[in-house]
Amino acid sequence: METVKELQGIIAFVRTAETGSFSNAAQELGVSKSHISKSIARLEDTLGVSLLLRSTRRIQLTAWGEKYLETCKQAIANLDSAKREIRDSSETPGGSLRITLAGVFGEEYVAPVVIEMAKKYPNLKVEMDFSTRVVDLIAEKFDVAIRIGELKDSSLVAQKIGPRFEYVVASKAYLAGAAALDVPEDLAHHNCLGERLTWGFRRGGRALQVSVGGNFKSNNPRVIQKAALSGLGVARLPASYVNEDLKRGRLVSLLENFSEGRKDIWVVTPARRAPNINVKIFVKEMKRFLSEEHAELYF
């Protein structure tokens, strides 16, 4: 508390010396004239010297006052400079930006944004960690996670950046020699690719889980895509992997009437009292990139 009072006295002293009166200093600082006078008096008591000579008409600096004024003005200028430096740096990305994400969405749609940020802001150090596990952002010191679907951790801040859609697909070559596939239950008679043992659908507005199996498992969606293209079986993959294949007829979309529909893609960050400029710019650029260049796509 004493330090706070001393700072108040220093500011009151400097403004009084610069404006030439207690009244002018009080008006500038939004306090009473008596408050200015008492603050300077306490400062003088602390220093053990008189800083001002007071009269009914004017104030005048003592020799100690002149010397102390220059020191205080320099100290206040240093504080102002430090404040400007913090404000300037807080408006330009710099330091660390750590992102955890997975899959082709990260490769094709997040990476280009992050690369451009790294080029534009050379003081920004970016780390992209591709992991299929759900990372603890706070414990592992990540700034951003890309997550999909329903979010459960309410201690995190989430912003929606796009829609994701999963397709059930197969090649024409596979379908030509396979059993009918008209309803989700027909999957029991098909070679289903991937590591998931159940696939989700909706029928009549209600969720439906169907058990699936096959002779080829992998937790890598790109590998599953290649297996489906080869005619090995039926795959369930995000649109990011199969948009082009569907467009070019290399794969066929199946069971669309039973689709779960779109799931939201989120940028998730730890809650902070002050905004993180790196995260703010990243989210802004992600939204711009997806809305301007890929607005027509489900991911």
Side-chain angles (χ1 to χ4, degrees):
M1 291 298 294
E2 291 302 318
T3 301
V4 173
K5 290 179 180 179
E6 289 176 16
L7 288 173
Q8 291 175 342
I10 289 170
I11 294 170
F13 165 66
V14 171
R15 298 312 300 140
T16 299
E18 290 182 335
T19 61
S21 75
F22 293 137
S23 298
N24 291 339
Q27 186 174 0
E28 281 200 12
L29 296 175
V31 296
S32 67
K33 179 179 175 180
S34 63
H35 178 83
I36 295 292
S37 179
K38 290 177 182 178
S39 295
I40 295 174
R42 281 196 298 266
L43 179 62
E44 290 175 320
D45 289 342
T46 300
L47 296 172
V49 297
S50 293
L51 300 173
L52 297 172
L53 296 175
R54 300 155 173 86
S55 71
T56 56
R57 292 187 176 183
R58 58 183 295 219
I59 61 168
Q60 183 177 344
L61 291 169
T62 65
W64 281 111
E66 290 179 356
K67 184 176 181 180
Y68 192 58
L69 176 62
E70 293 307 312
T71 302
C72 290
K73 287 172 67 175
Q74 184 58 54
I76 292 173
N78 290 341
L79 289 173
D80 287 340
S81 176
K83 181 171 68 175
R84 285 194 301 272
E85 183 178 347
I86 291 294
R87 284 181 173 175
D88 290 345
S89 64
S90 68
E91 294 173 1
T92 303
S96 173
L97 176 62
R98 302 186 70 223
I99 305 170
T100 174
L101 67 173
V104 75
F105 179 78
E107 296 169 4
E108 298 294 332
Y109 302 103
V110 181
V113 172
V114 176
I115 290 169
E116 286 303 310
M117 284 183 65
K119 289 168 63 177
K120 186 175 181 179
Y121 306 107
N123 293 326
L124 181 65
K125 296 182 179 180
V126 178
E127 177 184 346
M128 298 181 71
D129 181 74
F130 283 78
S131 175
T132 56
R133 67 186 178 88
V134 178
V135 171
D136 185 327
L137 299 189
I138 297 173
E140 300 184 48
K141 299 182 179 178
F142 278 95
D143 300 297
V144 175
I146 304 296
R147 292 184 178 168
I148 297 177
E150 185 179 352
L151 301 176
K152 298 179 181 179
D153 192 340
S154 60
S155 68
L156 301 174
V157 177
Q159 298 185 60
K160 185 165 59 178
I161 59 171
R164 168 170 158 163
F165 192 91
E166 288 191 344
Y167 286 94
V168 176
V169 297
S171 70
K172 293 178 181 178
Y174 171 82
L175 293 173
L181 184 46
D182 300 316
V183 295
E185 289 82 0
D186 289 339
L187 288 168
H189 309 295
H190 287 266
N191 192 35
C192 295
L193 313 174
E195 64 175 349
R196 285 187 282 182
L197 300 178
T198 60
W199 290 359
F201 298 93
R202 295 193 74 82
R203 176 189 283 140
R206 300 182 64 180
L208 173 68
Q209 295 293 319
V210 174
S211 297
V212 297
N215 72 343
F216 190 86
K217 290 186 177 182
S218 174
N219 64 354
N220 185 310
R222 186 67 76 190
V223 171
I224 297 302
Q225 176 202 21
K226 291 181 182 297
L229 286 168
S230 76
L232 181 59
V234 181
R236 181 176 179 132
L237 290 166
S240 299
Y241 290 88
V242 297
N243 275 324
E244 197 63 24
D245 295 325
L246 293 171
K247 186 187 300 184
R248 296 182 181 276
R250 294 189 292 253
L251 292 174
V252 176
S253 176
L254 306 165
L255 302 175
E256 289 188 352
N257 291 336
F258 303 93
S259 169
E260 288 183 302
R262 79 177 198 178
K263 297 180 180 179
D264 292 324
I265 303 173
W266 305 88
V267 169
V268 179
T269 62
R272 291 183 173 90
R273 294 184 64 183
N276 181 313
I277 188 63
N278 297 341
V279 173
K280 180 180 178 181
I281 296 297
F282 169 73
V283 173
K284 178 182 176 181
E285 290 302 311
M286 276 300 311
K287 289 181 176 179
R288 183 200 61 76
F289 180 72
L290 296 179
S291 64
E292 292 182 6
E293 301 188 32
H294 301 284
E296 78 286 356
L297 286 183
Y298 281 112
F299 302 100

